[in-house]
């Protein structure tokens, strides 16, 4: 990920869940909070309820790739956590991508054309 770092500490995830804004779609939930950092940070959560390790890792890889491809379109200086829901296992890649972008639009995370 070129423009962002990863969130790894449990207390940072919990802070986002408690104090961040969220947008929900059938396949995923996006939590975000603005920060003063120049770089964004992102974390991905896929619970055991989703399935076994192979399934969870496949969902996580797909979400990471969607984020990586659209990273330049997102505003810098935000902390974001993407949580996979049960339907993300069977969802097509295109559906996951559409849901991610619609959640980002609702949270006003996407850059406006011509904005630096």
């Amino acid at each position: 990920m070129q423009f962002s770092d990863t969130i790894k500490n449990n207390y940072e995830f919990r802070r986002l869940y408690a104090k961040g804004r969220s947008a929900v779609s059938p396949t995923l939930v996006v939590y975000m909070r603005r920060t003063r950092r120049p770089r964004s940070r992102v974390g991905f959560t896929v619970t055991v309820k989703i399935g076994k390790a192979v399934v969870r890792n496949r969902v996580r890889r797909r979400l990471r790739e969607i984020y990586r491809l659209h990273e330049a379109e997102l505003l810098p200086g935000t902390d974001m956590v993407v949580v996979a829901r049960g339907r993300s296992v069977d969802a097509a890649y295109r559906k996951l991508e559409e849901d991610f972008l619609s959640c980002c639009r609702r949270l006003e995370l996407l850059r406006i054309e011509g904005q630096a």
Side-chain angles (χ1 to χ4, degrees), residues 27-28 44-47 49-67 82 84-94 96-97:
T27 58
L28 52 92
F44 299 93
T45 303
V46 183
T47 66
K49 295 178 195 176
I50 299 289
K52 296 192 177 194
V54 173
V55 174
R56 293 195 312 266
N57 288 332
R58 188 179 75 234
V59 170
R60 192 176 298 116
R61 280 193 311 270
R62 292 167 82 192
L63 292 175
R64 260 197 235 119
E65 181 64 10
I66 290 167
Y67 179 83
V82 180
R85 299 179 85 185
R87 292 185 186 174
S88 63
V89 174
D90 299 323
Y93 178 86
R94 183 67 58 205
L96 281 174
E97 189 173 33

Side-chain angles (χ1 to χ4, degrees), residues 1-4 42 44 60-74 80 93-94 96-98 100-101 104 110-111:
M1 289 179 267
Q2 184 177 355
F3 304 109
S4 55
V42 64
F44 299 93
R60 192 176 298 116
R61 280 193 311 270
R62 292 167 82 192
L63 292 175
R64 260 197 235 119
E65 181 64 10
I66 290 167
Y67 179 83
R68 186 188 70 80
L69 291 174
H70 296 285
E71 186 176 20
E73 301 169 26
L74 300 173
M80 177 189 303
Y93 178 86
R94 183 67 58 205
L96 281 174
E97 189 173 33
E98 288 170 7
F100 176 75
L101 291 174
C104 289
L110 295 177
R111 292 179 193 252

Side-chain angles (χ1 to χ4, degrees), residues 2-5 34-41 67 71 74-79 111 116:
Q2 184 177 355
F3 304 109
S4 55
D5 300 321
R34 298 245 185 249
T35 62
R36 293 188 175 124
R37 292 183 180 88
R39 291 174 60 92
S40 292
R41 297 187 313 162
Y67 179 83
E71 186 176 20
L74 300 173
L75 292 172
T78 59
D79 284 355
R111 292 179 193 252

Side-chain angles (χ1 to χ4, degrees), residues 12-13 19 22-23 54 73 78 91 98-99:
E12 293 173 326
F13 280 92
K19 297 186 178 184
S22 64
V54 173
E73 301 169 26
T78 59
E98 288 170 7
D99 286 351

